[in-house]
Amino acid sequence: VAGEGEVPHSRAPRPLVVAARRWRKLGNDRIADIGQNLARWETLYLLAVSEVEMTQSQLAWVVGVKGPSMVAMLNSLEEDGLIERRQSKTDRRVTHNRITELGWRRAREIMLITNELRGAVLGDIAPEKLAIGIEVLEAIHAKLNELS
């Protein structure tokens, strides 16, 4: 039983899960007009900001999906000309991925839309409260990684 004024741990997961689902749905709705979704965006973004080509296993781990799901995603992005894939010269089982110029253009287009969404959703939250929220979410993320 929680003490007076104490928030019980049992209340924390629901708002996190609901907020994440609603964020994802709203984001997907906003970028659907340009033929994208947040899963594709996350993969493109990672390739855009990475200083090195990423392997599909690295991408799958960061995005949090299984290998076959990432393979399907990368195949789709490659078919659309947004990424290039090449086999490692040292290990044929490894595929290196990099964003193309068209991928960069699409990533910038998505970024404009997602920046607008972030501003609409988070703009009224005081920066100090947002900083605390980010700190808490990062702690939760770290613990989830530890337990995985």
Side-chain angles (χ1 to χ4, degrees), residues 15-117:
L16 287 171
V17 170
V18 170
R21 284 183 186 150
R22 292 188 72 193
W23 182 277
R24 194 157 203 79
K25 173 154 183 6
L26 192 54
N28 281 328
D29 290 349
R30 297 278 172 103
I31 63 176
D33 290 344
I34 59 170
Q36 301 301 317
N37 62 49
L38 288 179
R40 287 170 63 93
W41 162 233
E42 188 171 14
T43 305
L44 273 180
Y45 176 80
L46 289 169
L47 291 172
V49 300
S50 176
E51 294 182 7
V52 297
E53 294 179 353
M54 295 182 74
T55 67
Q56 63 191 41
S57 60
Q58 290 169 324
L59 286 164
W61 186 85
V62 173
V63 172
V65 298
K66 301 280 186 197
S69 295
M70 183 53 66
V71 169
M73 171 74 64
L74 294 172
N75 285 343
S76 173
L77 291 169
E78 184 180 39
E79 286 171 15
D80 291 346
L82 304 178
I83 67 164
E84 292 176 347
R85 301 169 77 198
R86 63 178 183 79
Q87 245 179 355
S88 168
K89 291 177 180 160
T90 58
D91 187 345
R92 293 179 45 97
R93 298 168 297 175
V94 175
T95 303
H96 296 278
N97 303 277
R98 71 177 180 170
I99 193 166
T100 63
E101 184 55 42
L102 178 59
W104 273 104
R105 288 196 304 269
R106 190 67 70 234
R108 284 189 290 272
E109 202 175 339
I110 297 168
M111 180 84 73
L112 290 172
I113 295 167
T114 57
N115 284 347
E116 184 180 300
L117 176 60

Side-chain angles (χ1 to χ4, degrees), residues 123-138:
D124 293 337
I125 299 173
E128 60 277 2
K129 285 187 176 184
L130 193 54
I132 292 167
I134 291 168
E135 186 178 324
V136 170
L137 290 171
E138 287 173 344

